[in-house]
Amino acid sequence: MKTTASAGKDHVKGATGDWETVIGLEVHAQVASRAKLFSGASAAYGGEPNSHVSLVDAAMPGMLPVINEGCIAQAVRTGLGLNARINLVSVFERKNYFYPDSPQGYQISQYKQPIVGEGAVEVDVDGDTVKVGIERVHLEQDAGKLIHDQHAEYTLVDLNRAGVALMEIVSRPDLRSAKQAQAYVAKLRSILRYLGTSDADMEKGNLRADVNVSVRRVGDRQYSTRCEIKNLNSIRAVGQAIEHEARRQIDILEDGGSIEQETRLFDAAKGVTRAMRSKEGAPDYRYFPDPDLLPLELTQDYVDALRKGLPELPDEKRARFIKEYALPAYDAGVLTAERESADYFEAVAIGRDGKSAANWVINELFGRLNKDGLEIDASPVSAAQLGSIIDLIGSGAISGKIAKDVFEIVWSEGGDPADIVNKRGLKQVTDAGAIEKAVDAVIAANPDKVEQAKAKPQAVGWFVGQVMKATGGKANPQTVNDLLKRKLGL
Ligand code: MN
């Protein structure tokens, strides 16, 4: 395996030399769970404001948190999916800070003993593999939401999200470019969705990234002062924020200035980051173990049982596709990025040629889905329908060109591809006699082109086109070619 930390292409040019960007991420992923982390209230997205709030979430006096076991299982499965160590003992602590969207006055989180320890994720960027260390994954509560624009004098608060379970996935500073960081977030999203431990939908805010960025001169081994950019909610924003922030820091350092450690916000409209607050250190939060919650103890058997139930994950699936269906690594990577695409491809490919199934799914199907802004599970062409289109090409019933027309008909009208081909007379003409007639007619009508083709044999392509046109695209292209070459004496 190649690792690319030193690849020069990732360096940023400054006025006084080349710089390297050093990036680590803290990704908050909402746990896929019906209830919140410490209460039975609904964790569903949306809903009337304050309709998913229990007395625990509202922090009424005397209410006690109760751990949601389903969320624990999801965190453990996530840890296993990230090739990480599961800590059999972990501790929930109070992270103390006042903010009006958090009625407890603290967030229950994990600090010294998180549920998941070190792991690693492999990310492919431009044909290279980067190994990104995972430092930890801990469970914590989400906060509520303040609404500033619905009342002239007051800020309103919606506690529906307060207490919803989040996994904070902390990476090591192993990433060296905006592109790598984007690929890392995409890979995390893919793993979480395969596992079913988070919907990881950035648009709904259930996957958000905080990005730590610093820069150093190429060749330096020391890490320099970093800034954290909070709450990036799209892969595009992750890339833009990193590029802007690296450039800002390089300009300051080249002017002889120094970087202040601080938390910054990314303004997506302007494409810039700006200071939000100077960074709090851990002592500011006065963490201490939550006296309402005992340390969480898991047995190895419990962890092993969860491990047994894990699905095949993107890396394994990709390796299997390369081997089983003889696919190039690139195709296998595209097909396995989402579980739904992988399943669709496999339903098409089983019992057929893997490479042509991959071509149809990647080029035709994905292209068409993109055009209509559809996800694969909403595809009007099912895997079975696409499979029978491929079979019709394989049996010589239709040409590849007609197959694209059949695909389009199935896309907009539905139906059985074989029926469509029969009823609409799309069957390929393999009868040499019929094709010969068309060939003769085209040759007779174009004596000047015949002369050209004799001088320049590549010009035969023009004749092939004319014959295909005359036969409505149904002539077998190989037969057309053979006949033309013979008749033109090429
Ligand atoms: Mn957090």
Side-chain angles (χ1 to χ4, degrees), residues 32 74 132 200 232 235 258 271-272 347 356 390 392 394 396 407 418 461:
Q74 293 289 52
V132 185
L232 299 166
I235 287 185
S258 62
V272 300
S356 48
I390 295 172
L392 289 165
F407 177 85

Side-chain angles (χ1 to χ4, degrees), residues 6 52 110 119 133 161 176 185 227 260 266 281 285 316 323 354 371 414 440 455 484 488:
S6 61
H52 304 164
Q110 295 187 306
R161 257 179 29 206
R176 294 292 177 271
V185 175
C227 287
E260 297 295 319
F266 178 63
Y285 293 120
E316 304 163 62
K323 202 168 152 239
K371 197 171 150 201
D440 288 342
L484 276 169
L488 293 171

Side-chain angles (χ1 to χ4, degrees), residues 26 28 95 107 109 138 140 166 168 210 230:
E26 293 162 25
H28 286 89
K95 182 180 185 181
Q107 176 192 34
S109 180
H138 64 254
E140 63 184 25
L166 302 178
E168 181 171 331
D210 300 343
K230 281 274 186 205

Side-chain angles (χ1 to χ4, degrees), residues 26-42:
E26 293 162 25
V27 171
H28 286 89
Q30 182 176 328
V31 176
S33 162
R34 298 225 305 274
K36 294 183 179 180
L37 183 53
F38 298 112
S39 85
S42 168

